[in-house]
């Protein structure tokens, strides 16, 4: 116990110290929200990766999907690396950095407002972000509490409050730069932590081959009558597994807290390096988490099941049960690992929400002539408000046992990515994208996900899952936006020419990057 406490104190001390150190970089809006658009490849890549993966993945998704799909759940991690990281950086990275700087936009709603010349669109985007980031934030606390309860036997409410306060301190003090530096440190911890945990869990089962053999002998008639289905290539339910891959991978393309990382990229070289680093990070962390969860059924002897074969306490109890027999030093590492994952994601969420509300909702609408110092002050205040709201909801959700972690994340990701992915992607690449098409995407996805919360039973069986509903919204948006754009009034030519003129500007690069072909 002493070892665990010492490691926690050192961890928290470093995080807060970095926040205080970075205060000088957070005196204006650009510095507080984007780190002055001068963040290098390592910090940007780790900020992207650690914002991507949290306790939701390590505890919620790894436990639930590992139990349901066996070792095939690893496909979700592979999808996160290839589609959610590699392709996202390749398709969005450079163009996002160029066009958002050209339009002088620091947030996603501000981008929509300027790109489509619509103040109402900016307001709507900011409201959607604020509403649907809250359930995602609440899910972070839930996953963390499971492991804290296992390691320290501390009350859930205490875990939530301590984590929220310490995260708030370094974000409020140092803004994006403090978050990016802390994300780098937390990412290193996550990489080494997940490797150590996987090795220890497999060792407890006699090694990798023995664990696979044990998994092949497990059957569950409620899932599939096929023998060895839990160690098969695609698992017992490839259709629903595909929904998980789409939601957790393609979803990053439309999440404001993820896309905003591209706004702060320093240079062209940072794009290339960041692509490689973030992809490798995702392979190790996401792939490792889902791979670990795939062996959850080997621990059925210590996981109490109800009459339906579902773990008592929900799927979120699976991973903590798998880790409960590890040595104290490894349990301490796991706690720091999940703390790192959760705090990095939480810091990204609260910074995104506070900057959006300040710059896109309050500024010029309710508070006129707001100067830079006022904007930063209000953002810091809203970080406190947002954290407080999410803490209250997290405690209420836990006490009333409303839903599982994965379902909370599915609702949030489905609404946000479903609403924003298509308009943002087409806005970067296609001159013909219209304002009305953006509205259709916003309204369709938010309506579908809200309906999925309140009248889920009315949905077709496949879409009753928030995961599948969210994936459906993303794909539907990619179809709706171009179709609606073809049949609605075209955007103003001057507006479009200005937005896309930034891509035509000539720049000078080293010959190692491009051949100096003669005219």
């Amino acid at each position: 116990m002493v070892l665990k406490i010492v490691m926690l104190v050192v961890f928290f001390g470093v995080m807060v110290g970095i926040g205080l150190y970075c205060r000088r970089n957070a005196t204006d809006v650009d510095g507080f929200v984007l780190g002055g658009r001068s963040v290098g490849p390592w910090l940007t890549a780790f900020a992207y990766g650690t914002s991507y993966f949290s306790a939701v993945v390590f505890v919620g998704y790894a436990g639930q999907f590992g139990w349901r799909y066996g070792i095939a759940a690893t496909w979700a991690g592979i999808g996160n690396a290839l589609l959610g990281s590699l392709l996202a950086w390749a398709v969005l990275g450079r163009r996002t950095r160029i066009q958002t700087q050209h339009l002088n936009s620091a947030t996603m709603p501000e981008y929509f407002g300027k790109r489509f010349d619509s103040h109402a669109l900016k307001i709507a985007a900011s409201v959607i972000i604020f509403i649907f980031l809250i359930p995602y934030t609440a899910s972070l606390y839930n996953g963390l509490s499971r492991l804290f309860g296992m390691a320290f036997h501390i009350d859930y409410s205490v875990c939530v409050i301590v984590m929220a306060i310490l995260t708030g301190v370094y974000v409020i003090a140092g803004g994006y730069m403090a978050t990016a530096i802390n994300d780098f440190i937390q990412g290193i911890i996550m990489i080494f932590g997940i490797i150590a945990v996987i090795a220890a869990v497999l060792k407890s089962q006699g090694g990798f081959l023995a664990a696979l053999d044990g998994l092949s002998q497990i059957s569950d008639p409620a899932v599939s009558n096929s023998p060895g289905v839990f160690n098969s290539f695609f698992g017992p339910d490839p259709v629903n597994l595909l929904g998980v891959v789409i939601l957790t991978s393609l979803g990053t393309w439309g999440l404001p807290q993820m896309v905003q990382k591209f706004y702060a990229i320093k240079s062209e070289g940072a794009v290339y390096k960041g692509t490689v680093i973030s992809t490798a990070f995702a392979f190790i962390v996401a792939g490792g988490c889902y791979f670990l969860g795939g062996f959850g059924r080997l621990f059925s002897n210590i996981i109490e099941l109800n009459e339906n074969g579902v773990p008592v306490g929900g799927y979120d109890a699976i991973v903590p049960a798998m880790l409960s027999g590890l040595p104290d030093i490894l349990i301490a590492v796991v706690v720091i690992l999940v703390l790192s994952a959760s705090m990095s994601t939480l810091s990204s969420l609260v910074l995104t929400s506070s900057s959006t509300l300040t710059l896109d909702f309050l500024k010029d609408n309710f508070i006129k002539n707001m100067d830079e110092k006022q904007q930063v002050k209000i953002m810091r205040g809203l970080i406190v408000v947002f954290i407080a709201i999410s803490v209250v909801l997290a405690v209420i959700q836990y006490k009333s046992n409303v839903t599982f972690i994965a379902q909370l994340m599915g609702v949030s990701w489905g609404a946000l990515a479903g609403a924003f992915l298509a308009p943002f992607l087409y806005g970067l690449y296609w001159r013909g994208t219209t304002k009305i098409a953006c509205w259709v995407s916003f309204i369709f996805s938010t309506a579908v996900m809200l309906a999925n919360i309140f009248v889920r039973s009315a949905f077709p069986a496949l879409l009753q899952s928030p995961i599948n509903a969210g994936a459906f919204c993303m794909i539907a948006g990619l179809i709706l936006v171009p179709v609606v754009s073809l049949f609605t009034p075209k955007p103003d030519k001057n507006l479009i020419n200005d937005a896309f003129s930034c891509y035509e500007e000539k720049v000078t690069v080293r010959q190692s990057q491009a051949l100096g072909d003669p005219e």
Side-chain angles (χ1 to χ4, degrees):
M1 184 62 70
V2 172
L3 175 65
K4 296 174 190 174
I5 293 174
V6 169
M7 290 180 69
L8 279 180
V9 170
V10 171
F11 175 77
F12 287 139
V14 171
M15 298 300 104
V16 173
I18 289 173
L20 298 175
Y21 172 77
C22 292
R23 283 182 299 175
R24 67 178 187 273
N25 296 313
T27 55
D28 58 15
V29 172
D30 198 48
F32 189 80
V33 178
L34 300 175
R37 296 185 190 263
S38 60
V39 183
W42 284 91
L43 293 185
T44 301
F46 272 74
Y48 185 91
T50 54
S51 297
Y52 197 167
F53 310 116
S54 65
V56 174
V57 173
F58 187 79
V59 178
Y61 273 22
Q64 177 170 345
F65 302 130
W67 186 270
R68 291 173 58 183
Y69 307 123
I71 201 69
T74 309
W75 280 110
I78 296 172
N80 292 174
L82 297 180
L83 181 57
S85 296
L86 176 63
L87 203 58
W89 275 77
V91 175
L92 300 179
R94 181 186 299 104
R95 291 184 79 95
T96 298
R97 171 64 168 80
I98 294 170
Q99 197 173 82
T100 56
Q101 185 177 32
H102 175 72
L103 296 176
N104 193 29
S105 59
T107 66
M108 185 175 275
E110 190 173 19
Y111 168 80
F112 285 128
K114 292 183 176 179
R115 169 66 178 80
F116 298 100
D117 191 26
S118 173
H119 186 70
L121 205 60
K122 181 174 78 168
I123 297 297
S126 65
V127 172
I128 293 171
I129 289 172
F130 180 72
I131 292 174
F132 286 100
L133 280 185
I134 291 176
Y136 185 16
T137 308
S139 68
L140 301 179
Y141 298 118
N142 196 340
L144 184 66
S145 71
R146 302 275 183 172
L147 291 174
F148 256 81
M150 175 194 72
F152 295 98
H153 306 291
I154 298 175
D155 181 71
Y156 172 71
S157 300
V158 175
C159 298
V160 169
I161 293 170
V162 170
M163 173 185 163
I165 290 175
L166 291 169
T167 305
V169 167
Y170 76 73
V171 178
I172 290 169
Y176 182 80
M177 187 58 74
T179 300
I181 295 174
N182 276 329
D183 286 349
F184 179 75
I185 297 172
Q186 291 160 350
I188 297 295
I189 294 171
M190 290 166 67
I191 289 174
F192 286 102
I194 193 64
I195 292 173
V197 169
I198 290 173
V201 168
L202 291 180
K203 183 180 179 182
S204 72
Q205 298 297 315
F208 174 57
L209 293 180
L212 273 183
D213 183 60
L215 205 59
S216 69
Q217 299 175 31
I218 294 175
S219 62
D220 185 349
V223 176
S224 174
N225 292 318
S226 302
V229 71
F230 292 110
N231 75 336
S232 62
F233 197 67
F234 289 118
D237 189 2
V239 174
N240 279 301
L241 177 59
L242 179 62
V244 175
V245 173
I246 293 173
L247 179 83
T248 62
S249 303
L250 191 61
T252 60
W253 294 43
L255 293 177
Q257 73 272 20
M258 301 298 296
V259 173
Q260 199 161 316
K261 301 296 185 292
F262 298 136
Y263 290 31
I265 295 174
K266 182 178 182 179
S267 63
E268 175 67 20
V271 175
Y272 287 108
K273 293 177 183 176
T275 303
V276 175
I277 296 166
S278 67
T279 303
F281 183 88
F283 263 119
I284 296 171
V285 175
C289 285
Y290 289 110
F291 177 76
L292 175 67
F295 294 98
R297 286 182 180 265
L298 295 179
F299 295 81
S300 298
N301 59 320
I302 60 173
I303 299 174
E304 185 181 356
L305 305 179
N306 61 25
E307 63 277 6
N308 298 320
V310 176
V312 174
Y315 294 109
D316 308 335
I318 295 172
V319 170
M322 294 174 66
L323 304 177
S324 59
L326 297 181
D328 285 346
I329 181 65
L330 273 180
I331 289 180
V333 169
V334 169
V335 171
I336 300 298
L337 183 162
V338 179
L339 258 178
S340 298
S342 299
M343 291 179 70
S344 59
T345 304
L346 177 62
S347 64
S348 179
L349 294 178
V350 297
L351 188 59
T352 298
S353 183
S354 66
S355 60
T356 293
L357 279 181
T358 302
L359 302 177
D360 305 320
F361 192 73
L362 297 179
K363 182 184 176 185
D364 297 331
N365 295 310
F366 298 95
I367 305 176
K368 304 293 183 181
N369 303 319
M370 193 190 307
D371 61 29
E372 292 265 328
K373 289 186 177 180
Q374 283 180 302
Q375 292 174 46
V376 173
K377 185 177 180 179
I378 291 174
M379 278 189 276
R380 285 176 165 143
L382 285 173
I383 288 173
V384 175
V385 173
F386 186 78
I387 287 178
I389 293 173
S390 62
V391 165
V392 171
L393 289 180
V395 173
I396 292 173
Q397 185 276 326
Y398 180 78
K399 300 296 183 183
S400 60
N401 195 29
V402 174
T403 186
F404 296 132
I405 292 176
Q407 291 171 320
L408 280 175
M409 182 178 171
V411 170
S412 175
W413 278 46
L416 291 167
F420 299 144
L421 189 159
F424 187 77
L425 176 63
Y426 287 118
L428 290 177
Y429 278 90
W430 186 34
R431 293 170 177 262
T433 311
T434 66
K435 179 168 56 178
I436 295 177
C438 292
W439 277 113
V440 170
S441 183
F442 284 15
I443 294 170
F444 177 82
S445 293
T446 52
V448 168
M449 295 313 298
L450 286 173
N452 188 268
I453 295 174
F454 297 109
V455 289
R456 184 169 297 161
S457 59
F459 278 63
L462 185 64
L463 297 182
Q464 287 184 9
S465 162
I467 308 296
N468 292 341
F472 168 74
C473 287
M474 294 177 207
I475 295 173
L478 291 172
I479 298 171
L480 285 172
V481 168
V483 170
V484 173
S485 294
L486 291 175
F487 294 97
T488 51
K490 305 304 176 188
D492 180 73
K493 285 188 177 181
N494 292 329
L495 176 72
I496 295 303
N497 290 337
D498 176 67
F500 280 80
S501 64
C502 56
Y503 298 135
E504 307 302 323
E505 293 181 15
K506 292 186 177 181
V507 295
T508 303
V509 298
R510 292 189 179 94
Q511 194 161 246
S512 60
Q513 293 177 283
L515 294 175
D517 295 331
E519 293 293 339

